[in-house]
Amino acid sequence: MKPLPFTKQEIEKIMQQFPTPFYVYDETGIRANAKKLKHAFRKVHGFKEYFAVKALPNPFILKILKEEGFGADCSSLPELMLAQKVGIVGENMMFTSNDTPAPEFAMAKKLGAIVNLDDISHLSYLEQSAGLPPLLCFRYNPGKLREGNAIIGKPEEAKYGLTKEQLFTAYQQAKAKGVKRFGLHTMIASNERSEEYFVETAKMLFALVQEISSTVGISFEFINIGGGIGIPYRPEQQPVSYEKIADGIEQAYHKMITKHGLPSLKIFMECGRVITGPYGFLITQVLHLKHTYKDYVGCDACMANLMRPAMYGAYHHITVLGKEQAKGHHVYDVTGSLCENNDKFAIDRPLPEIERGDLLAIHDAGAHGHAMGFQYNGKLRSAELLLRSNGEVIMIRRAETPDDYFSTLDFSALQRFE
Ligand SMILES: *Cc1c(COP(=O)(O)O)cnc(C)c1O
């Protein structure tokens, strides 16, 4: 069993105002988690978390996280604009993108964001498109030296980052072009639940910083160990211990930096999933039950609302509201209405017996959930609601209507079109 921050009665009350499907986020859970992370990392030198905006790009959530002391990690022009709108600017903003268009670099530079380059060729591209900022960071891809995982791919097959050899040249060139301040970034795993993995990543960057500093003759202000801390999607899994990661990094820092009298380094992170993932739920109502070669539950939400199960075969726990205590004696495929057979939230999932009208809470949808929504098959994105710490429920994004679907089309031009 996985806990829920609301009861069936509370959801039914919300439904009088907001029809299903909708997302609901738990402010209390998000704030408590942010505080827990900050508390664990208080011992880590210069620690700062830059929330990966792509995980949950909603200004209300960003405002909460800003209040909790987080910055924003943006990867596109609209994400930069979104962070700016809630007042996250300057070096509270990280710009980590790849295959980046010139106007996006220009915007990042204008806002004073920390620019994190994904390739050696982006140095001259950035110089030509926006001019070089005083502070630059490069993304390291360790290739065969590290294992990746299913979501992000093996490092040597992942499109991201520079090789080790390229890094030396890149910092050399940046130095020659007058860049004065430097950072080093990597992001090589996603949904990783081993604490040791992040400690190893920090150690790898501590060592690399020393190597580059002495070879190139520059000093570094920070390392950014990326995002990727995993969450327990399955009820039998345990949450990652922030304390273990922070303790491991702090000890490595002492051994590899402090003890050798090396210049101090700030440690940054850009997690998305672990920050908001467990505190978001997709609420959907059962429209149909279908019994053919298998037993199907047909929901009013579909893969256009939550793509992770279809995209990665990801597990998302499902609770049938009001049947929390019932045993899972029935095996169902829980589906949406897209004309794609991978439009399934769960396959062969043991659940209590389901009836038409039942309400399902799909767990751990607070990151890479609504954000990955799309309009294929004329499906519209759902509303996002926030369950406030004071018990109030507010709408933080309305549901799309057919007008939104048509808003990029010009029907008067169609009438003139022959
Ligand atoms: C997606 C992404 C993140 C966040 O990853 P999570 O798994 O949500 O923590 C951080 N940094 C970069 C560069 C990313 O692409």
Side-chain angles (χ1 to χ4, degrees):
M1 218 182 107
K2 258 175 164 285
L4 289 168
F6 43 73
T7 60
K8 183 181 183 189
Q9 287 68 34
E10 283 162 342
I11 292 295
E12 282 171 339
K13 188 152 168 255
I14 294 171
M15 283 168 63
Q16 292 170 2
Q17 211 182 340
F18 306 103
T20 54
F22 54 77
Y23 272 84
V24 58
Y25 307 112
D26 171 24
E27 179 181 1
T28 305
I30 292 173
R31 285 194 189 273
N33 179 45
K35 287 184 168 68
K36 196 169 142 194
L37 179 92
K38 275 189 67 177
H39 184 76
F41 279 83
R42 72 197 181 284
K43 54 198 122 174
V44 172
H45 188 261
F47 178 76
K48 189 170 174 86
E49 152 72 10
Y50 292 79
F51 176 66
V53 173
K54 76 165 192 265
L56 181 42
N58 186 294
F60 291 77
I61 302 294
L62 292 186
K63 194 168 177 197
I64 290 173
L65 295 175
K66 182 187 174 210
E67 282 172 16
E68 297 298 335
F70 291 2
D73 178 47
C74 306
S75 58
S76 66
L77 184 70
E79 285 184 6
L80 285 166
M81 292 165 72
L82 191 60
Q84 182 197 18
K85 280 182 191 293
V86 297
I88 304 178
V89 288
E91 291 182 12
N92 286 323
M93 195 183 243
M94 185 88 61
F95 184 57
T96 307
S97 62
N98 69 91
D99 190 20
T100 314
E104 306 206 350
F105 275 139
M107 182 64 158
K109 165 101 188 299
K110 186 174 141 216
L111 294 174
I114 301 176
V115 177
N116 192 3
L117 295 181
D118 184 70
D119 187 50
I120 189 163
S121 70
H122 292 187
L123 186 62
S124 55
Y125 186 82
L126 171 62
E127 188 178 25
Q128 283 155 23
S129 50
L132 293 179
L135 169 61
L136 257 192
C137 182
F138 288 95
R139 177 172 184 164
Y140 172 44
N141 180 332
K144 285 193 175 8
L145 297 176
R146 295 295 295 276
E147 294 270 332
N149 66 16
I151 293 181
I152 206 163
K154 283 184 180 175
E156 74 266 30
E157 283 163 18
K159 65 174 178 168
Y160 313 107
L162 290 78
T163 67
K164 188 168 173 185
E165 292 69 33
Q166 286 174 335
L167 274 184
F168 288 85
T169 316
Y171 285 105
Q172 186 74 59
Q173 287 176 356
K175 181 189 174 193
K177 288 177 190 290
V179 177
K180 297 269 184 301
R181 301 168 57 205
F182 297 97
L184 174 63
H185 169 270
T186 198
M187 161 101 190
I188 45 185
S190 196
N191 196 28
E192 176 59 55
R193 286 182 308 105
S194 149
E195 289 90 0
E196 195 47 37
Y197 194 93
F198 296 94
V199 179
E200 286 305 313
T201 298
K203 283 184 187 168
M204 176 181 83
L205 294 188
F206 289 151
L208 192 51
V209 155
Q210 303 321 320
E211 234 185 301
I212 299 171
S213 303
S214 57
T215 314
V216 181
I218 56 173
S219 60
F220 283 81
E221 283 185 22
F222 70 85
I223 61 160
N224 178 349
I225 63 169
I229 297 181
I231 59 175
Y233 282 104
R234 290 175 185 272
E236 67 273 17
Q237 292 172 336
Q238 292 304 311
V240 169
S241 159
Y242 295 148
E243 294 286 341
K244 277 190 195 162
I245 299 178
D247 288 348
I249 292 179
E250 197 274 323
Q251 282 162 23
Y253 186 87
H254 182 74
K255 255 195 219 142
M256 298 176 71
I257 309 282
T258 319
K259 241 174 80 180
H260 299 281
L262 292 166
S264 66
L265 276 174
K266 292 179 192 162
I267 290 127
F268 297 159
M269 202 163 75
E270 51 186 34
C271 284
R273 184 190 319 272
V274 80
I275 308 298
T276 54
Y279 314 103
F281 304 83
L282 173 58
I283 307 296
T284 177
Q285 188 160 37
V286 175
L287 299 179
H288 300 286
L289 288 149
K290 171 168 176 166
H291 307 284
T292 52
Y293 304 104
K294 297 184 87 173
D295 292 332
Y296 296 100
V297 174
C299 304
D300 62 3
C302 70
M303 165 188 170
N305 302 108
L306 177 66
M307 183 156 73
R308 296 191 70 261
M311 182 149 162
Y312 313 112
Y315 181 94
H316 278 264
H317 197 66
I318 297 175
T319 297
V320 187
L321 297 182
K323 300 182 181 175
E324 287 85 352
Q325 309 300 332
K327 292 250 177 315
H329 286 318
H330 296 257
V331 174
Y332 296 106
D333 279 15
V334 181
T335 74
S337 58
L338 280 196
C339 306
E340 298 289 338
N341 194 40
N342 65 347
D343 184 15
K344 294 179 179 176
F345 294 116
I347 297 172
D348 296 332
R349 178 74 55 91
L351 289 168
E353 183 165 19
I354 292 181
E355 295 148 86
R356 183 183 284 176
D358 272 348
L359 295 169
L360 310 183
I362 306 184
H363 292 248
D364 300 306
H368 313 294
H370 188 280
M372 281 189 186
F374 53 93
Q375 293 183 326
Y376 178 59
N377 252 190
K379 297 299 168 187
L380 303 172
R381 293 182 191 87
S382 72
E384 293 181 292
L385 311 177
L386 182 67
L387 180 57
R388 303 281 336 250
S389 300
N390 62 10
E392 218 184 321
V393 176
I394 61 166
M395 182 167 69
I396 58 173
R397 187 193 299 272
R398 67 163 172 81
E400 288 177 345
T401 66
D403 283 344
D404 294 305
Y405 185 71
F406 295 128
S407 65
T408 46
L409 299 171
D410 184 347
F411 285 97
S412 57
L414 180 70
Q415 277 170 3
R416 297 190 299 272
F417 177 73
E418 323 197 341

